[in-house]
Amino acid sequence: MVQPYRHEPFTDFTVKENAKAMEEAISQVKKELGQDYPLIIGGERIYTDNKIVSFNPAKKDEVVGNVSKADKELAEKAMQVADETFQWWRKSTAQMRADILFRAAAIVRRRKHEFSAWIIHEGGKPWKEADADIAEGIDFLEYYGRQMLEIDKGKEIVSRPIENNRFGYIPLGVGLVVSPWNFLFAIMCGTAVSPMVTGNTVLLKPASATPVIAYKLMEVLEEAGMPAGVINYIPGSGSEIGDYLVEHPRTRFISFTGSRDVGTSIYEKAAKVQPGQKWLKRVVAEMGGKDTMIVDSDSDLELAAESIMNSAFGFQGQKCSACSRAVVHEDVYDEVLERVTELTKEIDLGNTTEKNYFMSAVVDKGAYDKIMGYIDTGKNEGRLVHGGKGDDSKGYFIEPTIFADVDPKATIMQEEIFGPVVAFTKAKDFNEALDIANNTDYGLTGAVITNNRNHIEMAKEDFHVGNLYFNRGCTAAIVGYHPFGGFNMSGTDSKAGGPDYLYNFMQGKTYSEML
Ligand code: NAD
């Protein structure tokens, strides 16, 4: 019997021994930077001349690793291996597959700070955020293992005296998993192992900015007993191998997490039935957000300010759930804005591979330029209250930035910025606050700070987001506690870390035998 699921506890780095352990892990990882990593196809290590160079966003001349890059030919090889492997893997027992996940969780847990140190380097994560990212990956392993065992029990259906009926789930086939760089361990791990534990085989294409940590997970899964060919590691260009595999007739499903633009184009390409294709591809596409926190007139204003600051600037605002819009009741607007500004002034910013700063750099030059562009736009759309400057001389650093008095329809209120920028707008009452909150194309997360029970009920009915939180920030969903996924252009609402998630990668089969 497995222990009941509970989430992995977070590390408190104000405790000296914990901080010391992390410093040691960072020094150890520093010694291992700059190595070459191969692809893994059917267990075989394949080195290519063409490499993806992964670097530290906070110190751009520091190379984290040189990772081999798959081309179409290697993508095709991986597809064939995954297809062949599926023929027997689909018959493996749920218990065996779950046990691989449980063992992998134990291995990562034992090496937690080392894994955090890798993603501090590769993702520019602050320590607390890195620790939470690794904890979430462990949670996915533990939770999906248990969910698979539950699903394996089947579901009750009715039989008659003349027949014996049974209903259960079987896997789909070969799936393409395309993961983002922002939860470089957790989402990559969760999206790779969920189809695997359900009996599918996987082509894992991690984000090009963060392929090294994905290689580390592959090593762990192999150590935990995952057979060759079950998950194949094929970093490569989205437009080259991504498109090739999305359109491949043997691809049975695609699990994508990333931007709206890429997600919608995958959805469209996957819909086209290719010559030789025998099914309709299933697509899970979890995409962007434009997440709002509402502050009511009757509310704990200190809680509101702290929650906005943490949700807007944690991990440099590079979370799909990040608070990028604060909609505040006019009676408390000035006070909340002032307090958020005060708290933001205390934020320290720097290379987190040197020290435990609250914020580090944004992921790369593309992100830096895009965010700085939105800050320029913001200067015409609102009042710059704090921040606004960037420095990309050593790494891609951007100050935490606050704009006030922004029109709800303004660009910085509508488009996903994916950086440390929050825009404030004033609402005359709670109804207007809800209208503003709902006026984007997205619907991922939202939060309401209020002491008014009626307003809580109103928000439950009318605040149209997949993850709605009360009296807390809008980030930090926990596997098994807050199933995660959004409405509208935020995606297919697959609810990662929830009790229904694994069904995305399975199909129901009815068996009826005459007696
Ligand atoms: P992105 O869309 O640029 O890239 C995501 C992945 O898609 C990468 O692995 C990339 O290489 C790949 N890709 C690019 N073009 C492709 C193509 N044509 N075919 C196949 N794959 C292709 O996103 P990103 O910058 O890595 O991540 C940030 C985005 O992800 C933000 O919009 C954020 O909101 C979103 N996100 C959403 C969730 C969620 O659960 N809803 C979670 C994390 C991040």
Side-chain angles (χ1 to χ4, degrees):
M1 276 286 281
V2 288
Q3 301 277 314
Y5 170 79
R6 59 184 284 270
H7 84 89
E8 181 66 17
F10 301 124
T11 310
D12 178 357
F13 292 110
T14 63
V15 175
K16 259 196 190 145
E17 301 84 74
N18 292 342
K20 193 160 175 289
M22 182 61 94
E23 278 163 12
E24 283 168 10
I26 289 174
S27 312
Q28 185 53 41
V29 164
K30 282 238 181 275
K31 292 182 200 145
E32 296 172 34
L33 297 180
Q35 294 177 15
D36 283 356
Y37 295 90
L39 311 176
I40 307 176
I41 299 177
E44 186 191 344
R45 264 59 181 167
I46 300 172
Y47 288 89
T48 61
D49 292 338
N50 215 349
K51 295 276 195 297
I52 297 171
V53 181
S54 166
F55 61 86
N56 176 356
K59 193 177 176 199
K60 40 189 190 175
D61 57 4
E62 185 169 70
V63 174
V64 176
N66 299 295
V67 180
S68 293
K69 196 173 176 187
D71 55 14
K72 279 187 195 156
E73 212 173 300
L74 287 163
E76 179 57 36
K77 181 180 163 86
M79 170 55 86
Q80 284 174 19
V81 166
D83 218 355
E84 280 159 26
T85 309
F86 179 66
Q87 297 315 318
W88 72 267
W89 179 247
R90 69 190 174 87
K91 296 179 186 166
S92 60
T93 64
Q95 186 70 58
M96 171 198 176
R97 301 192 303 258
D99 284 347
I100 295 170
L101 267 55
F102 298 145
R103 174 113 190 268
I107 296 168
V108 178
R109 186 177 291 116
R110 281 198 286 274
R111 295 168 55 189
K112 204 175 191 179
H113 293 327
E114 178 203 334
F115 269 71
S116 293
W118 277 106
I119 65 171
I120 288 169
H121 282 89
E122 192 170 40
K125 288 233 158 179
W127 294 13
K128 183 172 161 243
E129 303 284 344
D131 183 67
D133 191 327
I134 302 303
E136 189 178 351
I138 295 171
D139 286 347
F140 278 131
L141 291 162
E142 297 281 9
Y143 184 77
Y144 291 148
R146 285 166 177 75
Q147 287 299 316
M148 186 61 233
L149 296 179
E150 273 306 305
I151 291 174
D152 195 43
K153 292 177 188 159
K155 285 204 171 160
E156 273 302 307
I157 52 165
V158 185
S159 289
R160 292 183 287 186
I162 51 148
E163 67 183 6
N164 179 9
N165 298 329
R166 202 161 59 76
F167 178 71
Y169 288 89
I170 63 166
L172 292 170
V174 180
L176 171 65
V177 170
V178 180
S179 57
W181 52 264
N182 70 331
F183 282 85
L184 54 165
F185 185 70
I187 293 182
M188 178 275 303
C189 172
T191 54
V193 302
S194 45
M196 172 271 213
V197 78
T198 38
N200 303 280
T201 52
V202 171
L203 305 173
L204 170 61
K205 198 211 85 57
S208 298
T210 57
V212 173
I213 189 65
Y215 185 85
K216 297 273 160 197
L217 175 71
M218 288 296 292
E219 288 182 326
V220 168
L221 290 169
E222 288 175 335
E223 187 184 338
M226 182 181 75
V230 171
I231 299 182
N232 300 279
Y233 169 76
I234 47 164
S237 139
S239 52
E240 189 187 354
I241 65 157
D243 282 350
Y244 179 73
L245 290 171
V246 165
E247 290 171 347
H248 200 292
R250 296 298 301 164
T251 297
R252 180 65 184 83
F253 66 94
I254 297 145
S255 174
F256 168 82
T257 313
S259 63
R260 170 182 172 169
D261 285 353
V262 176
T264 47
S265 91
I266 287 178
Y267 193 68
E268 190 182 330
K269 286 175 191 145
K272 184 160 171 27
V273 177
Q274 303 290 339
Q277 184 180 321
K278 291 205 290 190
W279 42 65
L280 299 177
K281 288 172 190 166
R282 209 179 271 181
V283 178
V284 170
E286 296 306 312
M287 310 189 291
K290 190 68 188 168
D291 310 294
T292 305
M293 289 192 58
I294 293 178
V295 185
D296 203 359
S297 51
D298 176 9
S299 64
D300 178 338
L301 301 186
E302 186 59 22
L303 171 71
E306 281 175 17
S307 307
I308 291 171
M309 188 279 279
N310 280 306
S311 301
F313 302 130
F315 187 37
Q316 299 84 260
Q318 299 173 115
K319 300 182 190 179
C320 50
S321 55
C323 169
S324 62
R325 326 165 87 215
V327 179
V328 185
H329 192 286
E330 61 185 11
D331 291 353
V332 294
Y333 182 85
D334 290 338
E335 206 176 324
V336 172
L337 177 62
E338 193 183 321
R339 187 67 188 125
V340 173
T341 309
E342 274 171 17
L343 291 170
T344 305
K345 282 180 182 157
E346 290 167 18
I347 289 178
D348 53 3
L349 177 66
N351 179 352
T352 47
T353 66
E354 285 166 1
K355 202 180 134 194
N356 187 13
Y357 295 102
F358 182 85
M359 271 174 62
S360 182
V362 301
V363 72
D364 58 18
K365 172 137 180 63
Y368 179 87
D369 290 344
K370 186 172 157 205
I371 298 162
M372 292 309 292
Y374 276 116
I375 289 176
D376 274 347
T377 305
K379 287 176 185 162
N380 298 320
E381 291 184 332
R383 177 163 60 90
L384 178 66
V385 178
H386 184 79
K389 290 199 275 303
D391 176 359
D392 63 350
S393 54
K394 297 193 182 76
Y396 300 104
F397 294 97
I398 298 179
E399 289 176 344
T401 298
I402 302 172
F403 287 105
D405 313 336
V406 184
D407 185 284
K409 297 259 167 61
T411 308
I412 62 161
M413 270 280 176
Q414 292 293 323
E415 294 180 12
E416 185 181 43
I417 299 172
F418 221 57
V421 182
V422 63
F424 275 69
T425 198
K426 206 180 272 186
K428 67 176 185 317
D429 56 30
F430 197 72
N431 275 318
E432 189 182 58
L434 281 177
D435 285 345
I436 297 171
N438 284 330
N439 81 352
T440 76
D441 291 348
Y442 295 99
L444 190 47
T445 76
V448 179
I449 311 291
T450 183
N451 292 325
N452 183 320
R453 176 52 56 184
N454 287 336
H455 289 175
I456 290 179
E457 295 308 316
M458 278 166 69
K460 280 186 194 163
E461 284 182 357
D462 292 332
F463 195 162
H464 194 60
V465 290
N467 283 57
L468 179 59
Y469 302 110
F470 294 99
N471 292 320
R472 51 161 285 182
C474 58
T475 60
I478 293 178
V479 173
Y481 296 58
H482 316 116
F484 191 80
F487 301 155
N488 295 348
M489 277 301 166
S490 291
T492 47
D493 192 41
S494 62
K495 287 292 187 272
D500 304 329
Y501 185 70
L502 294 185
Y503 294 111
N504 285 300
F505 312 109
M506 306 193 86
Q507 51 200 340
K509 186 166 179 177
T510 302
Y511 310 82
S512 181
E513 182 180 344
M514 297 309 290
L515 299 172

